[in-house]
Amino acid sequence: MQNTHTEPNLLEQSVVVIGASHGGVNFAFTLRQQGWLGKITLLDSDPELPYHRPPLSKKTLQSDDVKSTPLKVEKAYTDSNIDLCLGQRVTAINKQSKTITLKCGKQIAFHKLVIATGCSPFIPPIKGLIDTVDDKGNAQYFAMRTHADAVAIKTALNKSNDKQVVIIGGGYIGLESASSFIALGAKVTVIEKQQSILSRVTSAVMSDFLTQLHISKGVDLQTAKDVVQIKHTANKHYVVCSDGTQYPADFILVGVGVRLNTELAVTAELALEQGIKVNDVCQTSHPDIFSIGDCTSHFNKIYQRWIRLESVQNAVEQAKTAAQFLAKNSEPVPALPWFWSDQYEYKLQIVGLSQGYNEIVVREESPEQFSLWYFNNDTLLCVEAVNHAKAYVLGTQAIKQNIKVNKRILSDLATPLAKQYLLET
């Protein structure tokens, strides 16, 4: 892999980053820390100082003031000579002239460009959904993607008399939000189209555990239900399913998936394949344009296949990889995906990808602490650990180092979960 920045003097080079969430912000600061001398411009359409997104459905929603948690204090951008431009929407990329165009018509030139535009919530075309408003015409259907979303949702909850919430979609965002609503005293219904929650991303074992957890906390969890319409009365909205069942709501949270923000990549005629296609240093099909985060598709060397990941970890890892390559032409280190989810008093930590497993070993230390180990024959693919950091750490070591795990010892609770017993070297 060859770095191409033999351009003007390093002080004259400019990098423009579109998107100031986890990926964009980490890229900008890492690039400066790695010794980049030229100008760095960081743009985002969100007017809020860049903030942590994972807490939105958890701590942010549950807090009294619904304040965001900044990724960096404002002074840090000035101190690092990073030009932070908020509330600015980019409408086009011209790879021939190496310029971007803002909605206001202004053009900005670049030597290197980073697209970190992520995803947006998918709002399904359900009849009556966009008509879900209060008596003043304010929308009462929401997604959970931005700080503004969290503020609007908390406002709707505080204003509602019965605090009846319907969540359409039983994915992680929906489930995390459900646990927050329960903590805030709401009556929560979760409606999932599939036969079980999280069916596309985890096993029946974990799905069943989380199903029983939410039911035990008071969530009305409805699966195999297809929402077809939202009906409205003067005081209530009703979520109607194809089987005729109806669920009352003061407001509705939609969490059925995302759409990739790849419009700018399309205008620049970059290669796409289930996301913006990038190589191992996050270069797109144009050598001076890079892309990082949720909107990208990359070849994972650990799993030997193309994947697209929606995770903070992936965005941050790609940001560091791209920045180090641009600044120093360094070679990337293969990254192992990891994720987490907080629901009630349970922390779920996931390392690796479970797709392709043909065996699960369950190790249950107690009903509140257990781990699932996913294998394809003798190859460990993934570990899901509930309140069990040790299992998560050992699983990470085993997958990264391609170490064979002794399944017999793993399933034997009489043997401590420790590296010297578990991992066959």
Side-chain angles (χ1 to χ4, degrees):
M1 185 66 62
Q2 295 295 315
N3 196 328
T4 57
H5 69 245
T6 56
E7 293 165 15
N9 172 320
L10 289 174
L11 283 169
E12 297 175 358
Q13 290 191 58
S14 63
V15 173
V16 173
V17 185
I18 306 173
S21 190
H22 294 270
V25 169
N26 275 277
F27 171 85
F29 279 90
T30 302
L31 186 64
R32 189 63 84 202
Q33 290 161 3
Q34 292 289 315
W36 183 268
L37 300 175
K39 185 175 183 180
I40 301 174
T41 302
L42 184 57
L43 300 153
D44 202 284
S45 58
D46 194 330
E48 187 87 6
L49 187 69
Y51 50 88
H52 288 272
R53 290 184 184 269
L56 292 177
S57 59
K58 300 181 279 286
K59 291 182 179 178
T60 302
L61 189 59
Q62 293 183 45
S63 65
D64 292 334
D65 52 14
V66 204
K67 283 187 178 179
S68 62
T69 307
L71 291 168
K72 301 281 186 179
V73 297
E74 192 167 6
K75 185 176 182 293
Y77 297 90
T78 304
D79 291 346
S80 295
N81 195 21
I82 294 170
D83 188 8
L84 179 62
C85 303
L86 300 174
Q88 299 291 333
R89 184 173 296 279
V90 179
T91 57
I93 297 169
N94 188 318
K95 64 183 180 182
Q96 282 75 35
S97 63
K98 296 179 75 172
T99 58
I100 63 168
T101 303
L102 304 182
K103 186 178 180 180
C104 63
K106 179 182 178 180
Q107 289 193 334
I108 300 175
F110 63 84
H111 292 98
K112 306 292 180 184
L113 178 69
V114 178
I115 302 172
T117 47
C119 302
S120 298
F122 171 68
I123 305 299
I126 298 170
K127 183 179 179 181
L129 180 61
I130 62 173
D131 301 318
T132 307
V133 297
D134 62 15
D135 55 2
K136 295 181 180 179
N138 299 309
Q140 295 295 284
Y141 71 97
F142 308 97
M144 180 69 79
R145 195 72 184 182
T146 67
H147 177 253
D149 292 334
V151 171
I153 291 166
K154 187 63 176 287
T155 300
L157 181 65
N158 289 339
K159 286 183 176 180
S160 65
N161 293 323
D162 300 325
K163 298 193 184 313
Q164 288 184 307
V165 184
V166 171
I167 300 173
I168 303 176
Y172 282 115
I173 289 295
L175 297 176
E176 289 173 357
S177 299
S179 66
S180 291
F181 287 136
I182 289 291
L184 292 167
K187 303 168 187 175
V188 183
T189 300
V190 174
I191 302 176
E192 168 57 44
K193 187 175 183 179
Q194 302 300 317
Q195 293 290 331
S196 59
I197 58 172
L198 301 172
S199 59
R200 293 189 181 93
V201 295
T202 191
S203 64
V205 179
M206 184 59 70
S207 176
D208 290 346
F209 167 75
L210 291 174
T211 295
Q212 294 307 313
L213 172 62
H214 281 272
I215 291 173
S216 73
K217 298 295 184 178
V219 175
D220 181 9
L221 187 54
Q222 299 289 330
T223 58
K225 296 274 190 176
D226 189 13
V227 177
V228 294
Q229 184 179 2
I230 312 297
K231 291 182 178 180
H232 312 282
T233 66
N235 300 312
K236 197 75 69 174
H237 311 288
Y238 291 87
V239 180
V240 184
C241 297
S242 57
D243 61 0
T245 53
Q246 300 185 28
Y247 302 92
D250 294 315
F251 65 91
I252 298 166
L253 179 66
V254 180
V256 297
V258 298
R259 62 174 184 83
L260 307 189
N261 295 330
T262 56
E263 297 88 348
L264 292 175
V266 172
T267 70
E269 299 180 331
L270 302 178
L272 279 80
E273 186 176 324
Q274 295 183 328
I276 303 172
K277 194 173 183 180
V278 297
N279 63 14
D280 56 358
V281 293
C282 301
Q283 276 176 317
T284 68
S285 52
H286 189 288
D288 294 324
I289 301 178
F290 294 69
S291 188
I292 57 179
D294 295 4
C295 60
T296 67
S297 174
H298 70 277
F299 187 80
N300 187 281
K301 291 185 176 179
I302 294 175
Y303 292 94
Q304 288 294 298
R305 60 186 172 89
W306 287 87
I307 60 175
R308 189 184 69 79
L309 297 172
E310 294 171 32
S311 77
V312 170
Q313 169 267 340
N314 180 62
V316 172
E317 292 287 350
Q318 288 189 322
K320 292 178 179 178
T321 294
Q324 289 168 355
F325 173 72
L326 272 179
K328 296 184 177 179
N329 200 21
S330 63
E331 289 297 319
V333 176
L336 178 61
W338 57 267
F339 317 84
W340 79 95
S341 178
D342 294 315
Q343 298 175 42
Y344 308 105
E345 67 272 29
Y346 293 86
K347 176 176 284 294
L348 168 61
Q349 294 174 286
I350 305 169
V351 61
L353 302 173
S354 63
Q355 289 86 348
Y357 74 91
N358 55 22
E359 183 180 1
I360 302 175
V361 175
V362 180
R363 184 179 173 103
E364 184 176 351
E365 315 293 340
S366 73
E368 289 75 36
Q369 185 185 53
F370 65 93
S371 55
L372 309 183
W373 300 65
Y374 294 81
F375 293 87
N376 181 298
N377 299 325
D378 289 330
T379 301
L380 180 63
L381 301 176
C382 171
V383 175
E384 295 176 340
V386 173
N387 292 341
H388 205 330
K390 183 180 288 186
Y392 170 80
V393 170
L394 286 173
T396 300
Q397 292 176 349
I399 299 172
K400 274 188 174 181
Q401 299 170 29
N402 195 25
I403 297 173
K404 185 178 179 182
V405 174
N406 188 314
K407 297 177 191 176
R408 180 186 58 79
I409 292 178
L410 175 62
S411 60
D412 180 12
L413 290 178
T415 305
L417 191 63
K419 185 174 181 179
Q420 64 265 34
Y421 302 118
L422 184 62
L423 307 183
E424 295 183 352
T425 57

